[in-house]
Amino acid sequence: MIAGVSVRAGVEESESLLICGKVITLDAESRIAEAIAIRGDRIVAVGARRDIEARGRFDRIVETDGVIIPGFNDTHAHMDTEGLRGHFPSLAGARSISDVLARIEQLARDKSRGEWIITMPVGEPPFFYGGPLTLDERRMPTRCELDRAAPDNPVCILPPSSYWGLIPCFAAVNSEALTRLGIDRSTQPRIPGIEIMRDEGGEPTGIFVERNYPDAMQLDLLAGLPRITSMDRRRGIIAAMRTYHSHGITSIYEGHGCASEIIDAYRGLRQQERLSMRVAAVVSPTWSSLDDAERQMKGWLAHARGSGLGDPFLRISGIYINYGGEPAVGSLAMSDPGNLGWSCYVRQANDPETFEKLCLLAARYDLRVHTVVIDKLHEIVPILQRIDAQHGISSKRWVLEHISVARMDDLAALRCLGVGVTLIPEFHLCKAGGRFVNLSDEECALVAPTVQLAQLGVPVSAGTDNSPVNPLASMRAMMTRRQRTTGRILGASSRASAELALRCLTVNGAWLTFEEGKKGAICVGNYADLAVLSDDPLTTPPEDLENISCRATLVAGRFVHGSADDIGGG
């Protein structure tokens, strides 16, 4: 049923822009409208076209045969990481070691003697599945082979982030790079799960392998590589914003934490008025002890208390505290917090006792906590319950992320604790869902449990985790729950409806930033953050969702991707 017109009170008769077409409002009544009127950065009228046009003249009327939805809110984005994909030369399309060496040789021609040559991983982006298995030889090039391609330069073929693909991850370096990195026959990795491949004489072959998730090779063997500069990160964010906008994304949430270097890059872009994405970031802290953590929470982290500080385009709120983790990784990361590699956050390692003590401190100083859960929800819930008994966190909007397997009683406890959840459905259900194919149907139904959380009334949203960027892949995963390699449906009873999946990727994320009355649904008074899609995501078969294109994206009433002409405007 077409919605009747609703108009913001006190608005002048003339509106700046009227967009006409099918409008999926995702408001409380799930109305379908015919038109949206925008003035400045706000939606001022939604409803039937004739009713809105009768109110006055418009600076421009745009008609589209596309479908208008609220802009996507990627609530676990890693957008800055996307920008780094273009920072290093690509090896995409290489099918053999000779192809790889030809690329390296070509790059060496444009480098000065002694200058680093650093490339993206072997394999096809964006996931780099299989890595060297995609080459005819089914292995990485050795240091000797790389020496022949670039005899006067140190060379490193980077390992992919395990967030992009799947472990194991491979890197390769030449002899000069081994020397500069300080790696010889006596070197042993400092982090378990990382291996230096050696020849029969015990000498490094130049090939490194990692079997950790998340990956940490760049903290260990590759710590001596040239650092990504602040300017590089800003350029990468600008490029990444274009990519994210091209998929209809208007807001992102970086709940996994942002190091000070990343926050500063966003701050610089905001100060230059070059930030077209609404960015909400959680602080990734660097402390050396519990006493140091308390000093920081009591002192300089005051800006992240409660709902935080910022403006509609950049807001900082809360801190990330990791549960678990490899101690060697945490020790290396905290000793050199500027060594981020692909990551936007500083790695932590906290045993359960330390995690609880840190969370108690955060609760005392009104700092809401975010943590990645994976399969540890049953361990974390009792900790949160004890903290709530002492400090009352139910109104503080703490957030748990990356839930994989869960139990119903733990999910129900989250409702009582006032805790929100961000899910990564494409990762846990599709890409890495092979870990769960041997579970029972009942257990599979509680992997990335969108439906159950929604039914319990737990605030639940979804993010892409930058793997892939397209939110419609996450929507497809929630609706089909189909594992990538086996085709197994991981809990058919938990397949989300199209509307629930779309809400998790749009409206529901506003809860994380205390903006339910400002953004999300297409409602009068909300920000004019919209995506114009080629087809209706509510009626498109789930397996075809990723064929939908985004014709245009508007943030604050301004086109940041496409234009009025691209959606059929006149």
Side-chain angles (χ1 to χ4, degrees), residues 451-466:
V451 171
Q452 292 87 341
L453 288 165
Q455 290 173 342
L456 288 165
V458 176
V460 56
S461 59
T464 68
D465 205 23
N466 187 241

Side-chain angles (χ1 to χ4, degrees), residues 13 38 66 69 75 158-159 255 259 324 382 403 412 421 460 526 549 556:
E13 288 294 314
I38 299 169
I69 68 167
T75 58
L158 290 168
I403 292 178
V421 171
V460 56
N526 274 8
S549 62

Side-chain angles (χ1 to χ4, degrees), residues 2 34 41 90 124 167 186 188 249 291 331 382 396 412 459 500 522 525 533:
I2 298 296
E34 293 178 328
D41 67 346
S90 173
E124 290 304 304
I167 55 175
S186 65
Q188 295 297 326
I249 300 171
D291 288 341
S331 177
K396 305 300 184 182
L500 173 57
I522 297 178
L533 305 182

Side-chain angles (χ1 to χ4, degrees), residues 52-65:
I52 298 176
E53 283 188 305
R55 292 186 53 82
R57 300 174 60 187
F58 299 92
D59 295 332
R60 186 165 194 185
I61 298 176
V62 179
E63 298 185 19
T64 180
D65 60 357

Side-chain angles (χ1 to χ4, degrees), residues 519-554:
K519 73 179 183 182
I522 297 178
C523 297
V524 169
N526 274 8
Y527 294 128
D529 296 352
L530 312 169
V532 183
L533 305 182
S534 59
D535 292 288
D536 186 343
L538 296 183
T539 59
T540 298
E543 298 289 1
D544 295 332
L545 282 168
E546 287 154 282
N547 294 327
I548 294 176
S549 62
C550 178
R551 295 182 181 178
T553 306
L554 291 85

Side-chain angles (χ1 to χ4, degrees), residues 27-326:
D27 64 6
E29 291 78 36
S30 299
R31 298 184 307 161
I32 302 297
E34 293 178 328
I36 307 170
I38 299 169
R39 183 171 182 268
D41 67 346
R42 302 281 178 151
I43 298 168
V44 294
V46 183
R49 174 176 180 173
R50 181 174 62 181
D51 293 340
I52 298 176
E53 283 188 305
R55 292 186 53 82
R57 300 174 60 187
F58 299 92
D59 295 332
R60 186 165 194 185
I61 298 176
V62 179
E63 298 185 19
T64 180
D65 60 357
V67 178
I68 305 159
I69 68 167
F72 287 112
N73 188 348
D74 187 340
T75 58
H76 198 105
H78 293 297
M79 187 176 75
D80 66 287
T81 304
E82 175 66 23
L84 297 180
R85 291 178 185 265
H87 179 66
F88 301 105
S90 173
L91 298 178
R95 296 290 179 264
S96 65
I97 287 177
S98 62
D99 289 345
V100 173
L101 298 179
R103 300 271 181 95
I104 300 296
E105 186 175 355
Q106 183 179 24
L107 291 170
R109 295 191 192 105
D110 296 325
K111 295 286 186 179
S112 302
R113 184 184 181 91
E115 188 177 357
W116 274 95
I117 298 171
I118 304 174
T119 75
M120 290 293 284
V122 167
E124 290 304 304
F127 302 124
F128 306 97
Y129 287 142
L133 298 181
T134 63
L135 301 180
D136 291 343
E137 297 84 354
R138 299 179 67 81
R139 64 173 177 83
M140 296 289 285
T142 66
R143 63 181 176 88
C144 295
E145 290 167 327
L146 292 172
D147 288 345
R148 291 196 294 272
D152 299 322
N153 301 86
V155 176
C156 177
I157 300 173
L158 290 168
S161 165
S162 57
Y163 289 113
W164 294 345
L166 298 172
I167 55 175
C169 297
F170 295 83
V173 299
N174 70 351
S175 299
E176 178 62 20
L178 285 171
T179 299
R180 294 203 189 186
L181 294 170
I183 297 172
D184 56 28
R185 63 182 297 121
S186 65
T187 302
Q188 295 297 326
R190 293 168 289 180
I191 295 174
I194 298 175
E195 182 180 1
I196 300 172
M197 304 300 291
R198 303 179 189 276
D199 62 22
E200 293 180 356
E203 294 293 336
T205 65
I207 299 171
F208 308 145
V209 186
E210 177 159 27
R211 296 176 176 85
N212 297 319
Y213 178 82
D215 54 293
M217 193 188 298
Q218 292 186 69
L219 282 172
D220 189 353
L221 300 180
L222 304 181
L225 291 178
R227 301 291 172 87
I228 299 168
T229 68
S230 177
M231 187 59 67
D232 292 333
R233 293 193 186 277
R234 290 191 193 188
R235 281 195 291 261
I237 289 170
I238 290 171
M241 281 193 296
R242 290 193 293 267
T243 300
Y244 277 59
H245 286 324
S246 73
H247 289 288
I249 300 171
T250 57
S251 293
I252 64 165
Y253 194 79
E254 300 291 9
H256 206 149
C258 285
S260 59
E261 185 176 335
I262 308 301
I263 291 175
D264 187 59
Y266 280 121
R267 179 207 57 78
L269 292 174
R270 178 60 180 141
Q271 188 170 304
Q272 297 170 1
E273 298 186 350
R274 302 179 73 185
L275 202 59
S276 57
M277 183 73 71
R278 299 191 193 275
V279 177
V282 171
V283 176
S284 178
T286 55
W287 44 53
S288 57
S289 64
L290 285 169
D291 288 341
D292 186 29
E294 181 166 17
R295 282 191 294 271
Q296 293 190 31
M297 292 186 200
K298 186 177 180 180
W300 69 269
L301 280 169
H303 67 282
R305 288 180 185 158
S307 60
L309 289 177
D311 60 37
F313 277 88
L314 180 60
R315 177 161 293 274
I316 311 298
S317 170
I319 58 174
Y320 178 83
I321 301 178
N322 197 65
Y323 182 81
E326 168 58 49

